[in-house]
Amino acid sequence: MDKIPRVLITEKAKEVIDTLKNRFSSELMFHQSGGCCDGSSPMCFEKGDFKVGSQDIWLGEVYGCDFFMSADQFEYWKHTQLTLDITPGRGSSFSIEIPMGIRFIIRSKLFTMEELENLSPIKTGEEVLDES
Amino acid sequence: MTTLTLSKSKPVDRPSVKAKYDHFIGGKWVAPSSGEYFDNISPIDGKPFTKAARGNKEDVDKAIDAAHEAFKTWSKTSPAERSRVLNKIADIIEENLEMLARLETVDNGKALRETRAADLPLCVDHFRYFAGVIRADESSISEHDEHTVSIALHEPLGVVAQIIPWNFPLLMATWKIAPALAAGCCTVVKPAEQTPTSIMVLMELIADVVPPGVINVVTGFGAEAGKPLATSKKVAKVAFTGETTTGRLIMQYASENLIPVTMELGGKSPNIFMKSVADADDAFFDKAVEGAVMFALNQGEVCTCPSRILVHEDIYDKFMERVIERTKAIKMGHPLAEDTMMGAQASNDQYEKILSYLDIGKQEGAVALCGGESAGLNSGLETGYYIKPTIFKGNNKMRVFQEEIFGPVTCVTTFKTTEEAIAIANDTMYGLGAGLWSRDAHELYQVPRAIQAGRVWVNCYHAYPAHAPFGGYKKSGFGRENHLMMLNHYRQTKNMLISYSKEKLGFF
């Protein structure tokens, strides 16, 4: 049985990722931010621009992009499946899609008991770096 | 569907603005090198009301150069002169308070009664505070022995970068600019993308009283203007208010340049109501009820929003009945209407994010005691970003109890003992604010000491006076704003170790 992914993505978000990859000629990554102002939102960077480490959790790859969040935050998020979507809006922060007048956004749903037993494995940011 | 209390007043007039605003660099208005501008959308109706310059590295470098030029003289200006300039800025804000309050409301979406009563008067006072403390500030001197004296003298860091959030655009800029200028630094300010206008209008007003280059403001997007500012090797310090990922990114950049940073990041502040609160149904009980409803201040867009209500289980029914009643009485409506109590969320993406939290809260089994949906206002506000003040009942492990929603949403849970209240209060990644309400003299001291947060309001909430240090524990950041101790976040210490002895050591 296939493992259940922790992060899904909408078609619209895929289109934005394609546009950004072209514009920056680079692979991309996401780091889910914690609180304040523009927080609790996924931040999109050129791959490697944001330094991850042992205190980050890799939730998986979404449309070719590594998706991370800090380990303590993951403790409160791990029972939910995330969907990476976009919404029109003028966010701030250093996320690279913002000049396009749109913002990546996370929508969440609870995993079922069945799904919880069959989730895709996680790694730390450090392990991901060691492998690459 | 809960009922909604609506404002019935006619909105006051909007202040006039220019069609577009350039950068403010070296005391002059400088067009963006790209020639591009971006729309500034008012959250009131979701429509553009002016344009801001789309800054890039070239613009940022120009601003940093102008600041360095100004630093040559500003750093040597007497405290009396720096104080005079800060007082002058305060006077000008005071003289233009009504216009700036209205503009801030148009830019940010918050209710006019808040910009009139809080944002702008606090700007005035915080400039005056730093104008005052710099006059009384002293370096230190110590005599190590009869021939040796150590002088620890303050020197300004240099040119600093200050990245400002959108929730209190002018006030957060003031919190950063006032101590930096008082300390003798020159600054390059990057306001938030959502609220780039009010600070530019302030610059128009104060351009003649601030020496050119002492304050420079570059607007633009984080990735295009914020990043070159935060990575510049010509900047001596970065001060940031915002969220954790960008905070880490800025610290990462700062590590490459080995420069200091101050960070004011998120919160998930507990507001604790002890059993004695309900000992009488009196003025204090009423004050405590208001204290719980403070989550709706500024539409909940405050890092210290009291977004977790912890209430003793014995008084839950009596207390929460009143809190819900008071929350339902919050008047929503046009932010420029004088009786509107809660306005619009600052941008569409914030609005969407808050709705996504209302959704996950319900999925996790939290019960909406009131609100729980968008406000659906009409009469020209259909396209604005309005959400009903919401109270969820649930437990502290739910995501709505752990994540900063940055909207008019609070979550209530109960506790049985003081120990349990403290444990729940501290079960969070953050430690910025907290509230403790009690009639018990022992609890009033002991409980705040046990809470891991930089600011604990005791029998009050959401007061931000100058001369009360404000900053975070844990993942809420570091640095203490609003207090003279912030001066030292913008200064070096020069130690002169002086020997007055004529005798050699005799070593060589």
Side-chain angles (χ1 to χ4, degrees):
Chain A
M1 193 164 127
D2 284 346
K3 294 286 183 191
I4 307 290
R6 294 171 187 271
V7 191
L8 306 172
I9 182 166
T10 63
E11 288 305 313
K12 281 182 183 169
K14 283 183 186 173
E15 287 170 25
V16 174
I17 288 176
D18 285 336
T19 307
L20 290 169
K21 277 183 177 171
N22 265 327
R23 187 169 300 170
F24 287 88
S25 307
S26 168
E27 295 299 310
L28 306 178
M29 65 180 290
F30 287 88
H31 192 275
Q32 174 67 37
S33 183
C36 211
C37 311
D38 298 277
S40 308
S41 293
M43 302 294 178
C44 180
F45 305 115
E46 290 179 65
K47 186 173 182 172
D49 262 17
F50 183 89
K51 306 277 189 284
V52 293
S54 59
Q55 294 308 313
D56 293 293
I57 297 291
W58 176 83
L59 282 76
E61 210 180 65
V62 54
Y63 197 54
C65 310
D66 290 324
F67 193 104
F68 298 92
M69 74 170 66
S70 72
D72 45 6
Q73 193 173 339
F74 179 71
E75 280 305 303
Y76 297 109
W77 286 59
K78 60 188 178 187
H79 63 293
T80 55
Q81 187 174 45
L82 312 180
T83 300
L84 186 62
D85 195 4
I86 56 150
T87 179
R90 173 75 72 226
S92 47
S93 87
F94 289 24
S95 199
I96 61 173
E97 82 286 7
I98 287 172
M100 297 167 70
I102 52 170
R103 190 73 186 87
F104 284 109
I105 185 173
I106 286 292
R107 305 193 191 279
S108 312
K109 86 163 190 64
L110 297 186
F111 285 121
T112 63
M113 292 308 280
E114 263 182 2
E115 287 172 331
L116 279 171
E117 285 164 15
N118 192 37
L119 292 177
S120 62
I122 56 168
K123 303 171 201 172
T124 66
E126 195 172 20
E127 287 165 346
V128 173
L129 291 177
D130 286 346
E131 286 167 16
S132 61
Chain B
M1 186 81 186
T2 53
T3 52
L4 186 61
T5 311
L6 292 171
S7 148
K8 293 192 177 64
S9 306
K10 191 174 164 291
V12 301
D13 291 336
R14 290 185 181 212
S16 58
V17 289
K18 290 182 176 163
K20 62 175 197 231
Y21 288 87
D22 289 326
H23 303 306
F24 184 70
I25 297 173
K28 296 192 176 64
W29 295 95
V30 178
S33 57
S34 65
E36 287 182 52
Y37 297 81
F38 63 96
D39 283 339
N40 184 8
I41 292 162
S42 173
I44 293 175
D45 53 11
K47 292 179 180 143
F49 70 101
T50 181
K51 286 176 187 293
R54 181 171 176 175
N56 58 19
K57 185 172 186 308
E58 202 178 316
D59 302 324
V60 166
D61 286 344
K62 246 184 245 174
I64 294 172
D65 289 345
H68 273 281
E69 190 55 36
F71 184 70
K72 289 175 190 167
T73 45
W74 183 250
S75 60
K76 294 185 171 60
T77 306
S78 69
E81 175 59 16
R82 297 201 297 268
S83 176
R84 194 190 64 81
V85 169
L86 293 174
N87 272 321
K88 209 73 188 144
I89 295 172
D91 291 346
I92 290 171
I93 296 174
E94 197 168 46
E95 285 155 19
N96 293 277
L97 194 141
E98 175 65 17
M99 182 274 286
L100 289 169
R102 290 184 188 193
L103 181 62
E104 192 75 319
T105 287
V106 174
D107 209 355
N108 166 281
K110 66 176 81 184
L112 181 63
R113 69 171 199 156
E114 287 184 12
T115 52
R116 275 178 178 170
D119 298 59
L120 272 301
L122 282 170
C123 288
V124 173
D125 191 56
H126 284 238
F127 271 111
R128 287 191 178 139
Y129 171 75
F130 280 102
V133 294
I134 197 66
R135 295 298 304 272
D137 182 61
E138 286 176 318
S139 298
S140 66
I141 185 165
S142 56
E143 189 185 74
H144 288 226
D145 58 47
E146 63 176 323
H147 301 299
T148 313
V149 171
S150 163
I151 302 176
L153 194 67
H154 301 305
E155 291 184 347
L157 280 178
V159 171
V160 297
Q162 302 185 311
I163 298 176
I164 314 295
W166 46 260
N167 56 344
F168 295 84
L170 287 173
L171 183 59
M172 294 300 107
T174 298
W175 284 14
K176 296 210 170 357
I177 293 170
L181 264 55
C185 293
C186 295
T187 179
V188 178
V189 175
K190 215 296 268 167
E193 289 85 325
Q194 295 94 328
T195 52
T197 301
S198 58
I199 190 166
M200 287 309 188
V201 173
L202 176 62
M203 290 304 120
E204 284 184 320
L205 295 171
I206 65 172
D208 291 341
V209 303
V210 181
V214 171
I215 307 175
N216 306 275
V217 187
V218 176
T219 52
F221 300 115
E224 297 174 355
K227 185 176 174 181
L229 181 59
T231 50
S232 171
K233 63 181 182 192
K234 294 169 86 175
V235 157
K237 181 231 169 83
V238 183
F240 174 68
T241 294
E243 34 62 48
T244 52
T245 296
T246 309
R248 274 179 62 178
L249 195 57
I250 287 171
M251 288 179 73
Q252 175 192 310
Y253 296 150
S255 79
E256 291 165 22
N257 288 323
L258 274 173
I259 56 167
V261 292
T262 42
M263 294 274 148
E264 201 260 82
L265 306 176
K268 194 70 189 177
S269 303
N271 205 4
I272 306 170
F273 297 86
M274 306 302 284
K275 191 176 171 184
S276 63
V277 166
D279 281 355
D281 189 350
D282 56 359
F284 177 69
F285 184 71
D286 198 44
K287 183 186 183 190
V289 169
E290 183 190 52
V293 182
M294 279 290 181
F295 77 89
L297 187 90
N298 209 48
Q299 302 82 237
E301 293 169 342
V302 195
C303 312
T304 42
C305 173
S307 52
R308 293 185 296 148
I309 298 176
L310 317 184
V311 57
H312 193 282
E313 62 177 6
D314 289 355
I315 66 165
Y316 176 86
D317 289 338
K318 181 180 176 185
F319 183 68
M320 287 309 295
E321 185 191 339
R322 291 276 279 277
V323 171
I324 293 164
E325 182 191 357
R326 194 76 60 87
T327 302
K328 285 180 176 170
I330 293 173
K331 264 188 208 171
M332 294 193 73
H334 198 296
L336 283 170
E338 292 179 306
D339 64 340
T340 290
M341 295 162 71
M342 203 181 90
Q345 309 306 137
S347 63
N348 183 58
D349 51 306
Q350 286 300 315
Y351 172 80
E352 288 290 333
K353 185 177 76 186
I354 296 162
L355 292 180
S356 80
Y357 273 104
L358 298 181
D359 177 44
I360 187 68
K362 290 170 191 167
Q363 284 189 53
E364 284 192 290
V367 178
L369 302 177
C370 60
E373 59 193 358
S374 69
L377 300 184
N378 50 30
S379 309
L381 304 177
E382 295 86 348
T383 45
Y385 317 127
Y386 300 89
I387 290 178
K388 287 182 185 173
T390 297
I391 304 175
F392 274 130
K393 184 169 192 225
N395 70 68
N396 200 53
K397 295 295 174 197
M398 292 174 171
R399 278 184 48 188
V400 285
F401 274 81
Q402 289 294 335
E403 292 159 36
E404 188 163 14
I405 299 171
F406 229 64
V409 183
T410 194
C411 302
V412 60
T413 191
T414 58
F415 62 87
K416 289 185 174 67
T417 63
T418 306
E419 292 69 31
E420 191 190 0
I422 292 166
I424 297 171
N426 288 335
D427 179 14
T428 167
M429 289 158 56
Y430 305 107
L432 191 57
L436 184 273
W437 299 78
S438 172
R439 299 176 197 255
D440 181 311
H442 302 279
E443 285 172 356
L444 288 176
Y445 188 75
Q446 288 157 356
V447 178
R449 289 298 307 274
I451 296 173
Q452 294 152 7
R455 160 70 58 83
V456 185
W457 281 281
V458 181
N459 287 342
C460 62
Y461 207 97
H462 264 339
Y464 300 91
H467 205 49
F470 178 79
Y473 281 24
K474 292 156 81 176
K475 286 204 166 175
S476 294
F478 39 83
R480 291 293 179 269
E481 297 188 298
N482 302 355
H483 191 269
L484 59 92
M485 62 178 72
M486 196 63 201
L487 290 172
N488 284 343
H489 289 289
Y490 288 107
R491 298 194 293 208
Q492 299 271 21
T493 299
K494 167 66 57 66
N495 179 236
M496 285 189 274
L497 190 59
I498 307 165
S499 170
Y500 290 105
S501 167
K502 289 181 175 171
E503 302 301 318
K504 65 184 174 196
L505 287 173
F507 268 17
F508 298 106

